[in-house]
Each structure stands twice: as structure tokens, then as C-alpha cells.
Amino acid sequence: MTPAVELLDLLEGLERKRTSVIDLVRGGQPAVPWRLYPGDTGIFDRHTRCQFYYHSHGADHEAGHFHTVRLFGDHTVHVVAISMTQGGWPQALFTLNLWAIGDAYESAENLRRYVRRFRLREHAGPAPLVRFVNLIFQTFAPQIERLQDEKLATLAAYRSMHSGVDVFEDRSLEILSRVEIDVRARASSAASMTSRR
């Protein structure tokens, strides 16, 4: 089974049980804008140094989003955010400027490496929730890697047009790269490619 098909099975299975990964990460807590779920430290794996947490801004275009982070001794690096629909399905991936997430600058090469190595062991949190995040990375790794290049290209273009401005602190520049995703379409494509082999 490909990661895309496994991700589709996971989401549809939760849907059949009338729940979602958003319900799992909130753990019965009410939806409160800007609150971090499942708690202030999210879910993290000390061994792989990967972390994720969920929150919402009370926006109309999404239910909220998962932030995925690489942990270091003295700083963190935001890898990608997973935007979720009200129905509990991922709809887009995006990256953020440093001021919005409070992390450190990294080269595109390092960011791509973090994407390829991003994984939490399932005992780090509720297994379906951890599997969901891991499968997003396995299914959409090329898109997530490409977002890292687009992020740095956006920063470079903005810097060239706004000399003297600290691009990392400019509050008018928040989302640096974004791509829409469709789990059902990706799973269908993966299944058809497998059947042709």
C-alpha cells in the first residue's frame, strides 16, 4: 500500500467513526482560537527531534492547521504547516516567515533534508494522529521540499524590492509559499501507477 492510499484509508476510517485528526488532537477540548493542541508543547519525539501541534486563528478558509517543527538544543525550525478543512481533511501546505513562528533561519538544502527525515515514532502520541503527520510527509514530500525553495525565493525577491527592511520581521510578509493538496486525487494517482507496474 502506498503512503497516499494509507493516508486516504486513515482519513476515511476516521470519518466513518464520525471523528477526525482535529478531534484527536483536541482530545475533547473546545476549539479556542490560538490555543495550542494537545498542549503547549504539542507532540514531540526526543529521538527524532520532530514535533507538531495544532491551532486555529478562527479564520473562515480553514478549520486550523498543524505546524511541524524540527527541534534543536537552542532553537527550532518550522518545516511546514498543514491547513485543514472543517471536515478534518488536509487541504494545503504552507511555509511561514520567521516572525510568525519564532524559529531560526535555515538554508533550503537543510530544510529539504529536514523534510526527508521528518518522522515521529507512533508512541510519541495517539497513533492515528502521529501516522497522519508522518503520512503527509511521505505522500507530499516533493511538494514540501519544493515549498522550501519557493519560501527562500520569496524572501530574496522581497528583499530586493524593499532595501533596508528586515525581511524576517516584516509583518506584511507572513505566508511565503503554499500549495493546495488533494489526498483522494493523490491516492488515486498512486493506485493507478501501482496497477500499471
Side-chain angles (χ1 to χ4, degrees), residues 9 12 18-20 26 33 36 44 68 73 77 84 88 145 156 167:
D9 284 353
E12 287 181 338
R18 299 185 183 281
T19 190
S20 71
R26 287 207 324 246
L36 302 186
F44 63 95
T68 62
V77 175
M84 304 296 294
E145 287 192 44
V167 68

Side-chain angles (χ1 to χ4, degrees), residues 159-177:
R159 189 179 288 119
S160 71
M161 294 188 310
H162 300 84
S163 61
V165 173
D166 183 347
V167 68
F168 298 124
E169 291 299 325
D170 190 333
R171 295 307 199 258
S172 70
L173 186 61
E174 181 177 9
I175 294 177
L176 301 178
S177 57

Side-chain angles (χ1 to χ4, degrees), residues 40-54:
D40 289 344
T41 58
I43 292 176
F44 63 95
D45 187 329
R46 291 183 191 278
H47 179 73
T48 64
R49 295 187 297 177
C50 295
Q51 175 193 38
F52 68 87
Y53 59 89
Y54 175 83

